[in-house]
Amino acid sequence: MALSKILRQFTQVFLAASCPLCQRNAAQILCTDCYRQLLDCRWPNPISGHTATLSSHRASTNHANLSVFSWGQYRGVLKQTLAKLKYGNQAELGLWLGCQLGQHWRTHGPYNSHHQPLIVVPIPLHDHRLRQRGYNQAALIAQGFCRVTGLPMAKHGLIRIRSTDTMYTLGAKERQANVAGAFQTGPSLKTRTRSILLMDDIYTTGSTAQAAASALIDAGYKVQGITAVAQAVFSSPRDG
Ligand SMILES: [Zn+2]
């Protein structure tokens, strides 16, 4: 009994995962120090702090006022964690971040109890990028989010019909042009009785969310808002 316990503990030490950000031992997915720094990026008050509508980011005439809900600010360790998720082959971070976002939603989410039923639709990647990366980070986040909130997910509610350039070097106008017409409704949206909650890893200028929402609205769906792990905040209006 004692020996098996020792062996088990011994094995656990050697199998303990290392933190993807600093390679130190991590009891959870991130080490204690990185997790503390991650929490520094979380919004202190998500209701008044950063919810916004997309009305100032209209990509087309068929626009929607979508509310934005996010876990934290796109900076520091949160930015590093999302980079690891997307470019460091760390798929497990997606599910974990989705669970964090789901817990945040359960406390601070804007449409919790008597709102119309929601269905979560992740922003899709183009097939080409999906094959390169091996997973869609937004779908992993949505999966974790739905596990915690109990909301249903339509993983293929949207498909990306056009490959788009990487957005981080583009300004707001170029982003709109880049993603316009990039999305179409997918095979897993069967009913229009639920409002759609879009899910992405990062919300920047809203051009991706607006293009995705436009495809759904054109097909007769209601889109309630966009939820993302991180939201970029710009100091200058010309960036937004
Ligand atoms: Zn660490």
Side-chain angles (χ1 to χ4, degrees):
M1 180 66 185
L3 181 63
S4 67
K5 192 176 173 186
I6 291 164
L7 278 173
R8 196 164 59 239
Q9 285 174 350
F10 184 82
T11 316
Q12 278 170 356
V13 167
F14 279 89
L15 291 181
S18 60
C19 173
L21 301 184
C22 70
Q23 314 313 320
R24 285 179 289 186
N25 277 347
Q28 286 189 41
I29 199 154
L30 296 185
C31 72
T32 316
D33 193 40
C34 289
Y35 184 58
R36 189 180 44 76
Q37 291 181 61
L38 185 82
L39 290 179
D40 285 344
C41 303
R42 186 171 62 179
W43 300 114
N45 181 351
I47 300 300
S48 63
H50 66 287
T51 43
T53 66
L54 292 181
S55 54
S56 57
H57 307 296
R58 287 169 188 173
S60 71
T61 50
N62 191 9
H63 63 270
N65 279 345
L66 305 177
S67 66
V68 185
F69 181 87
S70 60
W71 184 88
Q73 188 175 0
Y74 185 55
R75 64 176 178 85
V77 164
L78 182 54
K79 192 172 177 175
Q80 286 173 36
T81 308
L82 287 165
K84 282 285 174 194
L85 165 63
K86 282 168 86 164
Y87 309 113
N89 198 29
Q90 301 278 346
E92 69 280 6
L93 282 174
L95 202 61
W96 182 76
L97 285 168
C99 291
Q100 306 286 313
L101 181 60
Q103 281 156 10
H104 207 50
W105 174 277
R106 285 181 62 164
T107 317
H108 303 289
Y111 346 92
N112 272 340
S113 49
H114 27 256
H115 214 271
Q116 54 191 327
L118 293 170
I119 185 162
V120 177
V121 174
I123 300 287
L125 295 179
H126 190 264
D127 275 351
H128 174 65
R129 190 160 292 163
L130 185 62
R131 275 196 299 275
Q132 273 180 340
R133 191 168 296 164
Y135 52 87
N136 173 10
Q137 72 279 355
L140 292 174
I141 292 166
Q143 203 181 327
F145 179 85
C146 290
R147 189 181 287 177
V148 171
T149 58
L151 291 173
M153 169 169 79
K155 188 177 175 184
H156 303 290
L158 276 173
I159 50 174
R160 201 155 186 140
I161 52 173
R162 196 162 59 72
S163 188
T164 49
D165 294 331
T166 306
M167 300 270 266
Y168 59 79
T169 55
L170 304 178
K173 285 255 156 53
E174 293 163 301
R175 282 169 183 258
Q176 285 177 11
N178 190 36
V179 291
F183 300 100
Q184 212 171 59
T185 52
S188 60
L189 273 184
K190 303 255 187 292
T191 169
R192 291 188 175 85
T193 58
R194 287 173 182 270
S195 280
I196 288 163
L197 181 65
L198 292 166
M199 177 71 64
D200 210 352
D201 51 342
I202 307 159
Y203 177 89
T204 309
T205 62
S207 46
T208 301
Q210 193 58 252
S214 292
L216 291 161
I217 291 164
D218 284 348
Y221 293 94
K222 284 192 289 274
V223 181
Q224 198 64 60
I226 170 102
T227 300
V229 172
Q231 187 171 346
V233 172
F234 301 101
S235 50
S236 156
R238 75 182 160 79
D239 295 325

